[in-house]
Amino acid sequence: MVRPLDLGIFLPNAKGGAIMATGSPPQYSPKWELNKKNAILAERAGFEFLLSMVKWRGFGGETNHWDYSLESFTLMAACAAVTSRIQLYASVAIPTIHPGVIAKMASTIDDISKGRFGVNIVSGWNKLEYSQMGLWQGDDYFKRRYEYAAEYLDLLRRLWTEDRVTHHSDFFHFDDCKSYPKPSRQIPIICAGQSDRGIAFTSQHADFGFLGGQDDSLEDLGRLNDKLQASADSFGRNVGAYVLLTVIAEETDEAAFAKRDHYIKTSDKAAMAEWARVAGMDFSRATYRDLEVQTFMAIPYIAGSYQTVARYLDGLAENGLAGVCFIFPDYERDLERLIDNVLPLLKHQRTAQQHSMALVP
């Protein structure tokens, strides 16, 4: 039996989302009201989770892509107060905030949300995000960032479960550290590492991981899922594979393709060049030369009719993926259109009771 997908929303908390094009949409101003609207719509439609990104510096260009963003933990605390069921994931760029601080921030939002909170660990590949604030640890961090992330996460979990923590290493020093209150349950962890090192870290330490690359085919995503599962099996763990997916859904394939082609034609070349330059500083990150891949930031996307998009989503489930986190060009209207026109066409859907039980650790 095919397991229905967990459905989630990549909230619009950074300018431009995952499409580097100059029009509006996909350019938008990241405001609380827009995020609140999408959070409430997703919960009412039975979605399983919300995820907000963390970004401290964007890529400039004509659009100032990602230069404007809402801080992730603050945003998810607000979302916790206006929702009642949906799971909430905030992202932390671990070079920026000490694990002792994040431990209490997470426990606070876990309390606000009554046990619906999780953390997305971002190891930090964008050197300029951190060097602008004097937080870059030197270029050796490129090689050691997953080692740093593993220790960071271990300390988080200890602070959430142990009364006192003492720890000394090259990275962190804790002397009889206490952190209260404790979370109400084990806080789930997600990670979006795409490299071999990232997949290895996810399979060993996370509960869910995001997959993707230059090839958005169902077969390729299925192979990446198999790779993640094989790695998780070697650690005796189960890790759910999610896909970040930009959706361009229209009444016909032709209309969706025209919109896709328009985004590529009007792409922000200067922002894309800066993104490629910064990504190239990290030896473990892939570089992308294809204009289409660059425009969509190397994140999987599907463009097509409502029926085409539904078939693709069913295909993700049939290839063993656990969930999908939707990204939209137009957050003012696209979520409602997906709910009304695509989700009813899915073959593999949860019942209301299954939705309420999803993502429970």
Side-chain angles (χ1 to χ4, degrees):
M1 181 178 293
V2 176
R3 178 185 184 275
L5 295 171
D6 297 336
L7 302 180
I9 300 296
F10 193 73
L11 286 173
N13 69 307
K15 188 176 187 293
I19 303 178
M20 285 186 157
T22 57
S24 177
Q27 292 299 320
Y28 57 84
S29 179
K31 298 291 187 179
W32 160 239
E33 288 300 328
L34 181 60
N35 283 269
K36 177 184 176 183
K37 173 184 176 178
N38 280 268
I40 292 173
L41 281 172
E43 178 166 81
R44 288 175 179 171
F47 281 53
E48 276 70 48
F49 67 95
L50 306 172
L51 169 66
S52 62
M53 68 183 291
V54 58
K55 186 54 55 180
W56 296 100
R57 181 189 181 100
F59 302 110
E62 179 181 339
T63 61
N64 294 116
H65 193 84
W66 286 4
D67 282 338
Y68 296 78
S69 66
L70 303 181
E71 194 281 316
S72 186
F73 273 67
T74 313
L75 175 62
M76 300 318 280
C79 287
V82 298
T83 58
S84 61
R85 181 199 56 82
I86 200 165
Q87 179 78 17
L88 311 167
Y89 287 100
S91 301
V92 55
I94 59 177
T96 65
I97 306 179
H98 192 278
V101 179
I102 286 295
K104 189 173 287 289
M105 291 169 64
S107 293
T108 302
I109 304 177
D110 181 72
D111 180 45
I112 296 168
S113 66
K114 298 180 173 60
R116 295 181 288 123
F117 186 65
V119 177
N120 176 32
I121 297 292
V122 178
S123 62
W125 60 267
N126 187 340
K127 174 181 176 178
L128 300 187
E129 283 195 71
Y130 315 115
S131 62
Q132 68 177 357
M133 299 184 285
L135 296 175
W136 185 244
Q137 301 177 25
D139 287 357
D140 187 57
Y141 182 73
F142 286 129
K143 298 178 181 179
R144 303 187 70 189
R145 63 188 177 100
Y146 283 110
E147 179 185 347
Y148 183 90
E151 191 169 316
Y152 190 106
L153 184 52
D154 178 66
L155 286 166
L156 268 183
R157 285 172 165 153
R158 290 182 63 188
L159 289 164
W160 287 332
T161 56
E162 298 178 16
D163 288 335
R164 300 168 183 267
V165 174
T166 295
H167 173 91
H168 298 283
S169 71
D170 290 343
F171 297 135
F172 301 106
H173 295 277
F174 286 79
D175 287 307
D176 192 31
C177 185
K178 298 190 290 184
S179 183
Y180 297 100
K182 304 298 184 187
S184 61
R185 89 290 191 237
Q186 179 178 318
I187 289 183
I189 299 296
I190 59 176
C191 184
Q194 303 296 310
S195 66
D196 288 344
R197 291 192 306 154
I199 289 175
F201 173 82
T202 299
S203 65
Q204 187 174 1
H205 298 286
D207 299 295
F208 302 96
F210 285 99
L211 302 177
Q214 294 189 52
D215 183 351
D216 304 339
S217 70
L218 295 171
E219 294 76 16
D220 188 63
L221 291 169
R223 285 191 293 270
L224 284 172
N225 178 47
D226 291 342
K227 183 178 180 179
L228 175 64
Q229 301 313 318
S231 182
D233 287 345
S234 70
F235 296 107
R237 305 185 70 247
N238 294 314
V239 178
Y242 286 170
V243 177
L244 281 175
L245 184 69
T246 299
V247 175
I248 304 171
E250 296 293 333
E251 291 188 1
T252 66
D253 286 340
E254 292 73 20
F257 297 161
K259 185 168 286 190
R260 173 203 61 193
D261 294 344
H262 175 72
Y263 294 145
I264 296 170
K265 183 179 179 180
T266 61
S267 57
D268 188 339
K269 307 298 192 301
M272 294 191 312
E274 178 64 2
W275 173 58
R277 183 181 77 87
V278 177
M281 296 178 183
D282 181 356
F283 72 94
S284 66
R285 285 187 62 83
T287 55
Y288 308 103
R289 299 183 183 279
D290 183 89
L291 178 61
E292 180 178 346
V293 172
Q294 287 184 322
T295 301
F296 291 94
M297 303 193 74
I299 292 172
Y301 77 88
I302 177 67
S305 67
Y306 302 138
Q307 293 83 359
T308 296
V309 173
R311 286 195 297 270
Y312 185 89
L313 296 176
D314 282 327
L316 291 175
E318 290 160 6
N319 276 274
L321 279 297
V324 58
C325 186
F326 293 114
I327 307 171
F328 300 111
D330 184 357
Y331 277 92
E332 288 288 356
R333 59 193 290 267
D334 285 346
L335 173 55
E336 290 178 280
R337 296 174 71 221
L338 180 95
I339 292 168
D340 292 340
N341 300 294
V342 175
L343 299 190
L345 302 177
L346 295 180
K347 290 190 300 182
H348 310 296
Q349 298 190 52
R350 281 196 171 92
T351 65
Q353 181 180 11
Q354 288 172 322
H355 277 297
S356 68
M357 296 175 61
L359 295 174
V360 176

